[in-house]
């Protein structure tokens, strides 16, 4: 039932981040979106893959389910024969639905990050690449990406703490994706994932902020 539901959902109105902690060797991801999902659905497994010691890849904007593009990215990360830019270029040339212009990708290895935003994804969209992190989003209020970056870089805790801070900085600034902020919230679904461990929250009401509720599930990141 979850797969059937997800087949009809685009992960638009999304802001996310992937990161690498060189001190622990961990990769992690954080994402928030205005997509409505069942309360028990952990969308991180559909949108993100982490290959230990190799890299991390996130798919967003329009995502088809099953997400064959993500599976191909995983295989190429596992092989160790492709850098992030090469994986993205391969996916653009071999998109599962021949619609690469509606995709948005983030990828990061231990040494380098890349992002791709198709020309037909919803405005406003963009990406930021820094040392050991990549941020990207679409259907955004102004300053969402830079606010995430500041929240992440200003936090001195664990990788999970830094990723959560990237999300909470947006929620506290009363910004987010434009479809949700009209309801006074930043997002309806959110997750933080480090390694194989993911914590998520999916709002079931328009006026419930997913990031605000996610924080309650991670009291001491």
């Amino acid at each position: 039932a979850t797969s059937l539901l997800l087949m009809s959902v685009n992960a638009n109105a999304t802001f996310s981040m992937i990161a690498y902690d060189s001190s622990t060797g961990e990769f992690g991801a954080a994402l928030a979106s205005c997509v409505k999902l069942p309360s028990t659905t952990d969308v991180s497994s559909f949108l993100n893959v982490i290959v230990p010691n190799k890299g991390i890849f996130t798919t967003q904007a329009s995502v088809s389910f099953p997400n064959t593009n993500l599976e191909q990215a995983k295989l190429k990360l596992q092989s160790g024969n492709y850098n992030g830019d090469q994986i993205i270029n391969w996916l653009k040339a071999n998109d599962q639905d021949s619609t690469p212009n509606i995709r948005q990708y983030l990828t990061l290895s231990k040494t380098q990050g890349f992002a791709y935003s198709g020309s037909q994804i919803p405005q406003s969209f963009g990406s930021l690449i820094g040392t050991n992190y990549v941020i990207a989003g679409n259907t955004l209020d102004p300053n969402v990406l830079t606010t995430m970056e500041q929240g992440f870089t200003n936090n001195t805790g664990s990788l999970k703490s830094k990723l959560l801070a990237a999300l909470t900085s947006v929620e506290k600034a009363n910004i987010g994706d434009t479809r949700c902020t009209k309801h006074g919230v930043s997002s309806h679904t959110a997750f933080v994932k480090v390694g194989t461990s993911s914590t998520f929250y999916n709002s079931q009401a328009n006026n419930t902020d997913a990031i605000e509720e996610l924080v309650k599930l991670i009291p001491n990141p």
Side-chain angles (χ1 to χ4, degrees):
T2 298
S3 296
L4 289 173
L5 173 66
L6 288 171
M7 285 178 67
S8 64
V9 175
N10 288 337
N12 290 329
T14 298
F15 45 99
S16 73
M17 180 175 200
I18 56 176
Y20 174 66
D21 186 337
S22 58
S23 65
T24 63
E26 295 176 308
F27 287 97
L31 180 145
S33 175
C34 205
V35 173
K36 280 285 192 70
L37 293 171
S39 60
T40 57
T41 298
D42 181 1
V43 76
S44 70
S45 62
F46 295 97
L47 300 181
N48 172 267
V49 63
I50 294 173
V51 177
N53 299 314
K54 296 288 184 65
I56 182 171
F57 202 98
T58 289
T59 61
Q60 57 192 48
S62 291
V63 180
S64 300
F65 297 94
N67 192 352
T68 305
N69 288 339
L70 183 63
E71 287 302 312
Q72 289 295 326
K74 177 181 179 180
L75 290 173
K76 286 168 175 54
L77 281 175
Q78 289 174 330
S79 76
N81 296 325
Y82 298 79
N83 68 25
D85 196 37
Q86 290 171 326
I87 296 174
I88 289 172
N89 285 333
W90 189 95
L91 290 175
K92 288 163 63 178
N94 299 274
D95 184 86
Q96 68 185 89
D97 300 318
S98 300
T99 55
N101 288 336
I102 62 175
R103 315 294 190 194
Q104 192 168 45
Y105 297 131
L106 302 76
T107 185
L108 181 68
S109 68
K110 293 180 179 181
T111 59
Q112 196 170 18
F114 297 91
Y116 164 73
S117 298
S119 60
Q120 295 179 20
I121 64 175
Q123 297 282 352
S124 166
F125 64 83
S127 60
L128 293 171
I129 299 175
T131 302
N132 292 340
Y133 63 85
V134 180
I135 306 170
N138 62 82
T139 327
L140 300 176
D141 289 321
N143 302 319
V144 168
L145 302 184
T146 54
T147 299
M148 290 185 74
E149 183 177 43
Q150 291 167 3
F152 180 85
T153 57
N154 290 339
N155 186 284
T156 59
S158 67
L159 182 59
K160 180 180 286 188
S161 177
K162 291 169 73 70
L163 288 167
L164 185 62
L167 294 183
T168 57
S169 65
V170 174
E171 184 266 325
K172 290 176 181 178
N174 297 315
I175 54 178
D177 60 65
T178 57
R179 292 191 305 178
C180 266
T181 49
K182 67 183 180 182
H183 298 297
V185 298
S186 68
S187 55
H188 285 144
T189 186
F191 70 76
V192 169
K193 176 181 179 181
V194 175
T196 60
S197 176
S198 174
T199 306
F200 68 95
Y201 187 90
N202 300 326
S203 304
Q204 302 302 296
N206 284 340
N207 61 354
T208 301
D209 193 292
I211 295 174
E212 186 176 359
E213 296 301 317
L214 182 67
V215 171
K216 298 175 184 178
L217 302 177
I218 314 175
N220 298 296

